[in-house]
Amino acid sequence: MGEVAAASEERMKKTVQSLKDGFGALRTGRASAALFDKIRVDAYGDKSPLNQVANISIPEARLIVIQPWDKGLITEIEKAIRTSELSLNPSNDGKVIRISIPPLTEERRKDLAKQAKAQAEQSRVSVRNTRRDGNEELKKLLKDGKLTEDEESKGAEELQKLTDSYIAKVNQVLEEKEKEILEN
């Protein structure tokens, strides 16, 4: 019974972490190094994550500075940022790339909030699917005689408590992201 709950909780933790990672890539009006987590740069004949070929710093709330460790990669880094879905306009001085994060329009904020809500709903569905899978596992153990009805009932109760807890965590992560998106 405890194994089913532990495995389910591990899956639910991963769901919440995946949501946080996904939210990190949503561009808000604030500068964030997490925006570049998915950007890959052509470096030395391979596609490397941006943070492995350059230092990313945030000197101001709306400014990102990217300093390549190898100055020869500056044009490749700039190209990777321009062709990404971030709609950012980098400029370089030969040594560093500067990116100014423009404030979001009201329409764009609403669109981002809608995207965040959709991602959160997918996470809630994933948490509920994990509960369903756990309950099916408990029923199978009951059927196979490895659990009593009381143990199965307690296991289902434990899964429901976990589900409620992780749904609340998803809602909290969404609330924080919405606040960040909607602030001016």
Side-chain angles (χ1 to χ4, degrees):
M1 176 177 69
E3 294 164 15
V4 173
S8 296
E9 184 170 20
E10 194 55 40
R11 281 180 58 194
M12 290 178 188
K13 270 184 194 169
K14 287 179 181 172
T15 298
V16 171
Q17 188 56 51
S18 176
L19 178 65
K20 287 178 180 177
D21 294 345
F23 279 177
L26 272 184
R27 184 168 83 87
T28 61
R30 227 191 246 160
S32 164
L35 287 174
F36 303 100
D37 286 352
K38 292 186 172 133
I39 292 187
R40 301 282 182 261
V41 178
D42 283 323
Y44 317 112
D46 200 11
K47 291 261 188 196
S48 301
L50 178 58
N51 63 5
Q52 290 183 10
V53 297
N55 182 41
I56 304 170
S57 60
I58 317 291
E60 298 170 24
R62 295 194 186 274
L63 180 67
I64 299 169
V65 176
I66 299 172
Q67 186 168 13
W69 293 317
D70 175 354
K71 304 286 184 256
L73 292 176
I74 202 160
T75 55
E76 285 299 328
I77 292 171
E78 196 172 11
K79 187 170 100 180
I81 294 167
R82 282 186 198 279
T83 58
S84 73
E85 299 170 355
L86 295 173
S87 304
L88 294 172
N89 192 17
S91 63
N92 84 69
D93 61 7
K95 294 179 185 163
V96 298
I97 296 171
R98 286 185 178 77
I99 303 168
S100 181
I101 305 290
L104 297 173
T105 64
E106 192 60 32
E107 186 178 323
R108 182 70 178 134
R109 285 178 198 281
K110 287 178 181 171
D111 185 45
L112 285 171
K114 199 183 289 182
Q115 284 179 35
K117 282 179 184 170
Q119 285 181 12
E121 181 54 29
Q122 287 174 338
S123 294
R124 285 190 287 267
V125 167
S126 178
V127 167
R128 289 190 290 265
N129 286 343
T130 300
R131 176 193 57 200
R132 182 200 61 218
D133 294 346
N135 281 329
E136 287 173 3
E137 180 67 22
L138 289 171
K139 284 183 178 123
K140 184 179 182 299
L141 290 170
L142 175 66
K143 185 179 171 208
D144 294 346
K146 295 178 182 166
L147 287 181
T148 65
E149 284 188 24
D150 282 351
E151 290 172 327
E152 189 259 349
S153 178
K154 282 181 185 168
E157 208 173 286
E158 194 177 342
L159 280 173
Q160 185 58 52
K161 284 179 184 169
L162 278 174
T163 301
D164 294 344
S165 165
Y166 279 90
I167 294 281
K169 287 178 185 181
V170 166
N171 292 341
Q172 180 185 358
V173 170
L174 172 62
E175 194 177 304
E176 289 167 8
K177 190 62 179 184
E178 281 183 316
K179 200 161 124 184
E180 183 184 334
I181 290 169
L182 298 173
E183 75 183 12
N184 290 324

